[in-house]
Amino acid sequence: MFRNRRRSRIARVAVAGAAALLAVGIAACSSSSSSTGGSPSTSASASSTAVAAPGGTARIALPAGLTLSYIWPFTPLANANEYNAEQFQMELYRPLYMFGNNGNSVAVNYPLSVANAPAYSDGGKTVTITMKGWKWSDGETVDASDVVFWLNMMKAEPNNYYGYVPGLLPDNLASYSATGPSTVVLHLKSAVSSIWFTYNQLAEITPMPKAWDVTSASAAAASGGCAADTAADKYAKCKAVWTFLTAQAKNAKTYATNPIWGVVDGPWKLSSFTTAASGPVTSFVPNAAYSGSPKPQLANLTYYAYTDDSTEYTALKTGQVDVGYIPPQDLPPVTNGQVLPSTDPLGSNYTLAPNYAFGIQYFLINFNNPTLGPAYRQLYVRQAIQELIDQNGMIKSVDRGYGYPTSGGVPTQPKSQWVPSVQNANGGQGPYPFSVTSATTLLTSHGWKHVGGVMTCQSPGTGATQCGAGVAAGTKLSMSMDYATGVQVFQEEVAVIKSDMQQAGIQMSLVPQSFNTIIGESAPCKPTDAGCKWDILNFGGWNFNGPGFEPTGEPLFATGASSNSGSYSDATMDKLINLTHTSSSLSVFQQYAAYLAQQLPYMWMPNAYIVQAVSTKLANVGFNPLATTLPEYWNFTK
Amino acid sequence: MVGFLIRRTGQSIFVLFLVTVATLGMVHLFPGGPVRALLGVRATPFLINYYNHLYGFDQPFYVQYIKWVWQLLQGNLGFSDKLNLSVTTLIAQDLPKTVILVTLGTVVSLLFGIPLGVYQAVRRNSVADYVLTGISFLGYSTPTFFLGLVLVDWFAVHIHLFPPFAPQTNSIWGIISDPRALVLPVFTYAFLLYALWSRYMRSSVLDNLVQDYVRTARAKGASERRVIWGHVFRNSLVSIVTLLGLSVPALVGGAILIEAVFNYTGMGLAFYQAALNNDYETLLGFTVLVTLAAVVGNLLADIGYAVLDPRVRY
């Protein structure tokens, strides 16, 4: 999902990413809250000798300016964000498969899932899902028909589900059915990678209870007929159920009292909900009928909304929340590989922990810009631009040490087997570390010369020492960068970038724009379009947080992808992306990821992490890079 | 007066028409269109067309305007997809909070600003006048958010005398029954306004003190107290009434900086968040409401003149 740096600065948008694979199968993650491998710990816990005290209310700060707004997991795009998904819906309604754990794993988590690991057969064309037999809070079993209910709803209303991509789930299913009370069998139109299908397709499914399969509040469970609906009536029954459930979902004031939403299979149920944007906004209490493990130990969990970073920090300083974050501007700088500050700004009442997002940060270049598009299409030009981005310098000066470089299209935190070795080169900067000399040499060796301080193509042509196809003589590397205003970090970073670009003769003018404007400009365009004159858009990054937890990049780097704003297109990239969908081999993914790191469809930028603060009275609090929030593991101590 | 009211009503309708046309027109100026602004970077061309049709953005502008105005006349201010609640609900939730804060802040500032302004005029160039003038300038020049942050830091974080935030409940009774939590935000709001009222009152009283009617009243033996409070005070209120009328939109527009500092989401912050989030439905609804408040405020101010000054007749 797209991450707006403004939001991610204050909130973990983290999501999705595949974690370590042990073999062709998928490693299940246990419920440990500790970190793994070489990644910094993302747990903040009270002393291990502290005695657990059951009960209590844990108060969690939401990121400033954000509230929870949509309860139904079948969420439309306008309401889709990681807070509604991971921090609200998933507490109540468990997806078919959960990802992440109470630590820094980004793998699928079968113990927390309502189904057992899927079984692939018939060369990857058949998937068998076996439900565990968990219970809904109304006593019904979370069974196969609940899964079919979801798939039928996707068939009926694909445009109203944010995760739908034409050609993918459910379009890639030849057929599906509940072959027994606990078994769902999917027949695919073509063979798929078990990893990709589990992480990026099955991850989209959230079983829905029969109590929701209705068209009125007083109707009997399953009377709506959607779970049994078929294409014969064009899923008319599901459309009617969708209309009813959408009307319920749009009545946010009744979330805590509407019996529909009270049917849960997750560890929590909603006890109160307000649409206010400040103060205590959402409260949960344990679901006594929860079939999974562990069972919640807290008596209550409450989210607090804040208007601004400063008010959230004030809440921490006055002890009004148990879990919050320290705004970056209130953190002392860290150096020499430190992850956390030596001195806790909040004193002894809170412990600190880093919270990484499983994502990448970048700015986009417009391959279809009518003037410089041909130049951007030359790999050496992109290499030069990347080598003029001093990520380590910006991490030190702008992020004050709380960050790490992005080196390719695969997130490098936490460490995982997805990351190709080329991304770890040069101290994590990847294949193109910062070097003004190297960037300048790349350009001059391809027929560019300084003319009036700006690199100008003097040698057009397609030869090895010439500017490249379509680059006319006299073309100047003079470009504009539209960047989103309102974020101090952006302003500082772009100033650094401009200065470094100038050292190699690339003239960059900075154009501050509202985020709205940049969103409007970010639609993929053709060179003849009036709105295709932008050179660079700088407004955020991407977290692989669903739907899609394996960072295969099809929404970003494939030709014609809706979020491929710069219109990058490469036949080899498309082929490699498609291979990741059909091959379960890690080496196939690594080949794609390495090619991606070398191809530079986007220009990589520093990635910042958040410093979370946890009350010393609250134990076993973990921060997952996928934003998976599991308060059932938390407890107060005596 | 009836004729005046009819004329002003006609003017008000015209102003509302212009504002609504401009506001709806500006929604279409969102780069990429309002739907792309709503859906963000993940919007596909198919989804954009789908939602454009769903929301009627593919229809001629005049059709959209008529439908929207008809919806407004039925009391439907729209539905915010971003917040997932109706604009009416949002206003019903945030407006009382804003009204309480702005009303209390205005009343407190008036209670201090007007009498002190009169006092300063009567005791002009005295030590007290200079001290109070200095306080006024301090209030006027101190950024509101800075004052709020300093107060929170001193009185809440360090001394723990008051809570750091305004009442965190949405119910009117809950807000009013937590006066301690209202002290800092109300004081912050009132401090700037106090400066305004006291300076205007001082100037207005000074202007009136040199008028002939004051000399006449004194010559007729009226006590100084009667001269000031019986005659000068009422005549000096005209400028205050003007300012009060102009401040009516703040009752619905909110005090965004104070809301942000004290974690008290009212109309100001709601409007600001709507602008940040491309929430055009909320922006449209709020703009109509604020315009209505401005029109009503001006009308009330004009009526107030007629009440205060018998010479003013419409």
Side-chain angles (χ1 to χ4, degrees):
Chain A
M1 187 177 292
F2 166 73
R3 169 177 59 165
N4 172 6
R5 183 84 182 258
R6 170 172 53 193
R7 295 272 189 253
S8 73
R9 230 19 198 161
I10 58 176
R12 304 306 297 185
V13 172
V15 183
L21 290 181
L22 295 180
V24 174
I26 298 166
C29 250
S30 68
S31 58
S32 167
S33 64
S34 59
S35 62
T36 59
S39 298
S41 170
T42 53
S43 296
S45 305
S47 164
S48 59
T49 59
V51 177
T57 296
R59 301 160 298 175
I60 306 175
L62 287 170
L66 284 166
T67 54
L68 307 174
S69 63
Y70 206 84
I71 196 170
W72 188 22
F74 200 86
T75 308
L77 186 54
N79 300 101
N81 61 64
E82 51 284 353
Y83 305 100
N84 278 334
E86 273 87 356
Q87 295 185 11
F88 184 26
Q89 296 163 2
M90 287 188 192
E91 308 299 347
L92 310 170
Y93 317 113
R94 278 287 141 98
L96 189 66
Y97 295 110
M98 283 285 285
F99 291 79
N101 68 349
N102 198 39
N104 66 350
S105 166
V106 291
V108 63
N109 192 331
Y110 291 121
L112 292 185
S113 305
V114 295
N116 294 309
Y120 290 81
S121 57
D122 189 22
K125 289 183 70 174
T126 301
V127 185
T128 304
I129 300 165
T130 309
M131 308 301 287
K132 290 181 183 175
W134 284 16
K135 295 291 190 187
W136 293 102
S137 55
D138 63 356
E140 294 278 353
T141 304
V142 185
D143 62 16
S145 68
D146 297 341
V147 177
V148 172
F149 184 9
W150 176 274
L151 289 171
N152 282 351
M153 189 62 77
M154 283 190 78
K155 281 284 199 185
E157 294 286 347
N159 295 319
N160 288 301
Y161 174 61
Y162 76 101
Y164 172 69
V165 176
L168 298 183
L169 198 76
D171 300 344
N172 52 9
L173 300 178
S175 67
Y176 56 90
S177 61
T179 58
S182 307
T183 309
V184 180
V185 177
L186 314 179
H187 294 287
L188 291 144
K189 290 179 179 172
S190 57
V192 295
S193 155
S194 59
I195 302 167
W196 174 77
F197 196 78
T198 301
Y199 275 71
N200 289 20
Q201 299 286 273
L202 296 180
E204 295 192 28
I205 300 173
T206 298
M208 299 194 289
K210 294 166 187 54
W212 293 4
D213 194 355
V214 294
T215 53
S216 71
S218 55
S223 61
C226 180
D229 207 359
T230 64
D233 70 345
K234 296 181 185 170
Y235 297 97
K237 298 187 183 70
C238 284
K239 289 181 187 296
V241 171
W242 177 86
T243 300
F244 172 72
L245 289 177
T246 297
Q248 305 306 301
K250 283 186 179 300
N251 193 355
K253 292 172 80 70
T254 64
Y255 280 175
T257 54
N258 190 331
I260 291 278
W261 309 123
V263 180
V264 301
D265 64 350
W268 304 92
K269 57 182 183 182
L270 203 57
S271 61
S272 73
F273 184 90
T274 101
T275 53
S278 54
V281 291
T282 310
S283 289
F284 304 83
V285 293
N287 168 23
Y290 177 51
S291 305
S293 178
K295 308 282 191 251
Q297 299 175 66
L298 300 170
N300 187 291
L301 180 72
T302 300
Y303 284 119
Y304 283 72
Y306 294 96
T307 54
D308 190 71
D309 276 350
S310 67
T311 54
E312 188 272 344
Y313 192 43
T314 300
L316 275 173
K317 286 189 287 187
T318 51
Q320 296 197 15
V321 285
D322 302 301
V323 180
Y325 61 92
I326 301 183
Q329 60 270 23
D330 293 300
L331 288 165
V334 291
T335 56
N336 298 328
Q338 274 181 288
V339 174
L340 295 171
S342 310
T343 310
D344 185 342
L346 291 168
S348 60
N349 291 329
Y350 289 88
T351 55
L352 304 183
N355 191 351
Y356 297 91
F358 195 67
I360 54 177
Q361 197 78 7
Y362 50 76
F363 63 76
L364 298 148
I365 49 177
N366 185 3
F367 290 83
N368 279 346
N369 179 284
T371 308
L372 284 175
Y376 295 143
R377 285 196 279 276
Q378 309 306 315
L379 179 58
Y380 75 86
V381 171
R382 302 199 298 277
Q383 288 173 6
I385 293 175
Q386 184 66 54
E387 286 177 354
L388 290 166
I389 299 174
D390 183 7
Q391 293 198 63
N392 283 335
M394 283 190 275
I395 288 165
K396 186 177 171 188
S397 62
V398 178
D399 295 329
R400 304 158 89 208
Y402 297 93
Y404 55 96
T406 300
S407 54
V410 175
T412 53
Q413 285 288 352
K415 295 189 179 5
S416 70
Q417 289 189 13
W418 296 122
V419 183
S421 55
V422 66
Q423 279 194 238
N424 292 328
N426 298 300
Q429 295 182 78
Y432 310 114
F434 174 65
S435 170
V436 174
T437 309
S438 174
T440 307
T441 304
L442 270 172
L443 294 172
T444 53
S445 64
H446 283 85
W448 298 79
K449 281 188 173 48
H450 278 279
V451 175
V454 183
M455 279 291 186
T456 307
C457 175
Q458 302 284 289
S459 181
T462 55
T465 58
Q466 294 176 312
C467 298
V471 183
T475 299
K476 292 180 185 297
L477 284 180
S478 176
M479 56 195 69
S480 63
M481 174 188 279
D482 293 9
Y483 67 95
T485 54
V487 183
Q488 184 64 25
V489 163
F490 274 177
Q491 283 180 249
E492 295 177 27
E493 282 180 345
V494 298
V496 172
I497 293 170
K498 176 184 165 90
S499 170
D500 289 333
M501 292 284 162
Q502 190 59 51
Q503 294 186 61
I506 296 181
Q507 190 177 60
M508 181 174 281
S509 61
L510 302 177
V511 184
Q513 300 275 20
S514 70
F515 187 68
N516 306 345
T517 301
I518 293 189
I519 290 293
E521 288 180 329
S522 65
C525 58
K526 295 190 283 294
T528 50
D529 291 344
C532 209
K533 293 189 171 43
W534 61 272
D535 284 298
I536 296 172
L537 295 181
N538 187 358
F539 61 100
W542 187 276
N543 284 347
F544 295 94
N545 60 359
F549 294 84
E550 181 186 0
T552 45
E554 59 268 16
L556 293 172
F557 312 120
T559 299
S562 60
S563 298
N564 183 354
S565 302
S567 304
Y568 168 79
S569 178
D570 181 87
T572 304
M573 183 72 75
D574 292 342
K575 180 180 156 204
L576 289 172
I577 289 175
N578 286 336
L579 276 176
T580 63
H581 293 186
T582 54
S583 169
S584 299
S585 163
L586 182 60
S587 66
V588 167
F589 181 86
Q590 293 270 339
Q591 192 182 357
Y592 149 76
Y595 186 73
L596 175 59
Q598 285 155 351
Q599 272 292 296
L600 293 172
Y602 298 176
M603 299 294 111
W604 314 121
M605 288 283 285
N607 215 334
Y609 60 87
I610 302 296
V611 175
Q612 305 269 178
V614 180
S615 167
T616 48
K617 296 183 188 136
L618 193 58
N620 298 315
V621 177
F623 298 102
N624 189 264
L626 307 183
T628 298
T629 307
L630 301 171
E632 57 265 34
Y633 287 93
W634 307 355
N635 62 271
F636 282 100
T637 57
K638 289 185 181 164
Chain B
M1 177 64 94
V2 171
F4 164 74
L5 286 173
I6 292 173
R7 282 196 305 277
R8 284 301 297 270
T9 303
Q11 286 173 5
S12 303
I13 291 173
F14 182 67
V15 166
L16 274 170
F17 168 73
L18 285 179
V19 170
T20 50
V21 168
T23 306
L24 189 63
M26 279 193 282
V27 166
H28 287 275
L29 293 177
F30 278 141
V35 165
R36 182 154 181 102
L38 173 71
L39 299 180
V41 292
R42 290 193 62 158
T44 62
F46 181 85
L47 267 185
I48 291 173
N49 289 337
Y50 175 81
Y51 280 99
N52 270 331
H53 183 68
L54 191 66
Y55 295 139
F57 288 127
D58 53 355
Q59 295 183 316
F61 181 79
Y62 74 91
V63 172
Q64 294 182 46
Y65 181 76
I66 291 169
K67 281 187 177 175
W68 179 52
V69 170
W70 178 239
Q71 179 184 295
L72 286 177
L73 291 173
Q74 294 177 307
N76 180 358
L77 288 169
F79 188 89
S80 166
D81 284 298
K82 282 284 186 183
L83 298 175
N84 195 38
L85 72 167
S86 70
V87 177
T88 309
T89 302
L90 180 63
I91 291 173
Q93 174 183 282
D94 291 344
L95 183 59
K97 297 166 73 172
T98 294
V99 169
I100 291 172
L101 171 68
V102 172
T103 302
L104 284 176
T106 304
V107 166
V108 168
S109 62
L110 285 169
L111 283 175
F112 285 89
I114 290 179
L116 286 176
V118 173
Y119 178 79
Q120 282 185 262
V122 171
R123 297 277 184 266
R124 64 188 177 282
N125 298 329
S126 66
V127 171
D129 182 29
Y130 288 131
V131 169
L132 288 169
T133 297
I135 293 173
S136 297
F137 285 161
L138 186 66
Y140 215 67
S141 57
T142 304
T144 312
F145 71 89
F146 176 75
L147 175 64
L149 288 172
V150 165
L151 290 175
V152 166
D153 205 50
W154 285 347
F155 292 104
V157 176
H158 287 104
I159 304 178
H160 308 297
L161 188 59
F162 296 108
F165 304 136
Q168 297 290 282
T169 172
N170 280 335
S171 79
I172 297 175
W173 175 247
I175 295 170
I176 295 171
S177 60
D178 191 3
R180 265 185 83 229
L182 284 170
V183 169
L184 293 184
V186 168
F187 178 83
T188 306
Y189 189 85
F191 194 42
L192 168 67
L193 280 184
Y194 152 77
L196 193 71
W197 306 136
S198 69
R199 297 309 296 170
Y200 269 96
M201 199 65 194
R202 183 182 183 279
S203 296
S204 196
V205 169
L206 283 174
D207 283 343
N208 276 278
L209 280 174
V210 297
Q211 297 297 315
D212 289 344
Y213 74 89
V214 171
R215 195 181 314 124
T216 304
R218 287 178 176 143
K220 288 171 73 178
S223 68
E224 197 60 16
R225 182 190 294 271
R226 180 170 172 75
V227 168
I228 299 298
W229 296 107
H231 298 291
V232 171
F233 177 69
R234 178 174 162 159
N235 290 324
S236 303
L237 280 179
V238 174
S239 59
I240 301 295
V241 165
T242 306
L243 291 173
L244 271 174
L246 289 174
S247 68
V248 167
L251 270 177
V252 297
I256 179 175
L257 294 174
I258 295 178
E259 292 171 22
V261 169
F262 291 98
N263 205 41
Y264 185 73
T265 309
M267 296 287 286
L269 260 186
F271 194 77
Y272 172 68
Q273 291 289 351
L276 284 186
N277 293 328
N278 308 318
D279 188 356
Y280 60 86
E281 288 277 7
T282 303
L283 289 172
L284 287 173
F286 274 41
T287 302
V288 168
L289 192 65
V290 172
T291 304
L292 205 57
V295 161
V296 168
N298 274 292
L299 184 62
L300 289 174
D302 287 343
I303 293 174
Y305 294 149
V307 169
L308 282 171
D309 189 347
R311 296 171 297 177
V312 175
R313 284 293 173 261
Y314 299 110

